[in-house]
Amino acid sequence: MIHYFEQLTSTNDEATHSNYREGDIIWAERQTAGRGQRGHTWLSDEGANLTFSAILEPTFLPPQEQFSLLQVVALALIDTLKEYDIEAKIKWTNDIYVGDKKVVGILMEHKLQGEHIGRTIAGIGININQTEFDPSLPNPTSMRLSTGKQYDRKEVLKRIAHHLMHRYEMLRQGENSTLHSDYLQSLYKRYMEQRFSLPDGTHFQGIITGVEPQGALKITTHEGAEHKFLFKEVEFVLKN
Ligand code: BTN
């Protein structure tokens, strides 16, 4: 069920309430404290985009497999954009890109219940009809900027929800290897030369060779050494 609000602090906060159920979607027109990754805020023009959270209760999944939920969400977005003839890619770990620009941001939050994941809140900000962005944002785009078309936001939301439940059902049925190979097929800059930076500021050049099923990014350097990085251990250096 879609629960619509004019204003919330963050849809991810609202989605923590126990009265919501698996499959529910919390959609807010305006967020007064929309959260991004790494403590950033998420900015979105009112009436132009979608900011929402989808609730899953993957009690069948141990916490060490939480990356598979990110794959589910990212693939549902790729599937949806494909239906609108937009070829998007997954920039490891949580962004959806069209060309070299970001069209969707994903913020995953999990609540543990004993040995398993009790609730997953998939917070999604997708730029749909917005054409001008705050200059502080590094490389934003929208569906409209990609195709020149205007979109019905509620229809986009329903399609995302449909694909999300389809991909989630694949996970529940144990189709992990298909999900992972689909994720790799859609991986941004896979097998391409790319510049990266490390938390200490060092830059290096390498080729993305893949992502491990549990989420580590694999990069091979010129010297032939393969390195594995977890979330926040490496950043892409992109030209704007
Ligand atoms: C990022 O790319 O930094 C992640 C952005 C996630 C934004 C969405 S908007 C809906 C949901 N509620 C939030 O507060 N954040 C997520």
Side-chain angles (χ1 to χ4, degrees):
M1 185 176 173
I2 297 175
H3 302 266
Y4 176 82
F5 295 83
E6 281 293 329
Q7 178 171 309
L8 289 172
T9 52
S10 155
T11 56
N12 271 34
D13 294 341
E14 177 66 21
T16 59
H17 295 163
S18 57
N19 49 319
Y20 296 119
R21 289 282 156 265
E22 176 156 273
D24 280 352
I25 285 186
I26 314 300
W27 172 19
E29 191 61 78
R30 189 180 324 118
Q31 296 188 111
T32 53
R35 299 200 296 276
Q37 297 159 40
R38 301 182 181 86
H40 291 146
T41 44
W42 183 256
L43 302 174
S44 178
D45 274 7
E46 222 176 298
N49 305 316
L50 282 172
T51 47
F52 66 96
S53 302
I55 297 171
L56 299 173
E57 294 181 331
T59 47
F60 56 91
L61 213 64
Q64 60 273 22
E65 287 181 32
Q66 59 182 256
F67 182 72
S68 54
L69 291 159
L70 178 56
Q71 292 187 149
V72 160
V73 174
L75 286 169
L77 288 154
I78 296 289
D79 296 342
T80 306
L81 290 167
K82 200 172 276 169
E83 273 188 0
Y84 288 103
D85 297 322
I86 299 172
E87 213 214 313
K89 295 278 180 195
I90 304 163
K91 178 170 164 277
W92 181 87
T93 54
N94 289 35
D95 296 333
I96 306 294
Y97 268 48
V98 177
D100 290 319
K101 291 176 186 276
K102 176 166 168 172
V103 67
V104 185
I106 303 170
L107 181 68
M108 300 290 284
E109 294 180 326
H110 306 281
K111 190 169 163 228
L112 299 189
Q113 185 182 304
E115 302 285 281
H116 295 271
I117 302 174
R119 176 169 288 196
T120 290
I121 297 171
I124 296 170
I126 173 165
N127 297 328
I128 300 184
N129 294 317
Q130 187 168 337
T131 52
E132 282 172 23
F133 290 89
D134 191 295
S136 68
L137 298 174
N139 50 0
T141 191
S142 65
M143 290 173 65
R144 171 132 186 228
L145 283 175
S146 307
T147 63
K149 294 183 188 155
Q150 182 88 15
Y151 296 93
D152 176 336
R153 294 180 304 145
K154 189 148 191 203
E155 188 196 294
V156 176
L157 181 56
K158 284 185 179 162
R159 289 195 191 197
I160 296 172
H162 165 82
H163 286 294
L164 180 62
M165 292 328 275
H166 173 72
R167 289 289 185 175
Y168 184 57
E169 203 44 43
M170 288 175 70
L171 180 64
R172 198 201 298 278
Q173 297 301 328
E175 294 177 43
N176 302 53
S177 58
T178 309
L179 286 169
H180 191 58
S181 68
D182 289 352
Y183 179 92
L184 292 178
Q185 286 293 331
S186 289
L187 193 63
Y188 175 72
K189 300 271 187 191
R190 188 185 184 201
Y191 300 136
M192 287 166 80
E193 186 88 29
Q194 173 61 40
R195 202 164 175 73
F196 298 93
S197 69
L198 296 172
D200 67 3
T202 330
H203 284 201
F204 70 98
Q205 201 85 5
I207 292 177
I208 296 177
T209 50
V211 174
E212 301 236 294
Q214 298 207 330
L217 181 70
K218 294 191 282 187
I219 300 174
T220 300
T221 59
H222 282 305
E223 300 77 46
E226 185 184 81
H227 299 270
K228 294 177 187 171
F229 297 94
L230 297 174
F231 182 55
K232 290 185 187 163
E233 287 181 351
V234 72
E235 293 275 353
F236 288 64
V237 179
L238 296 176
K239 294 178 221 97
N240 291 319

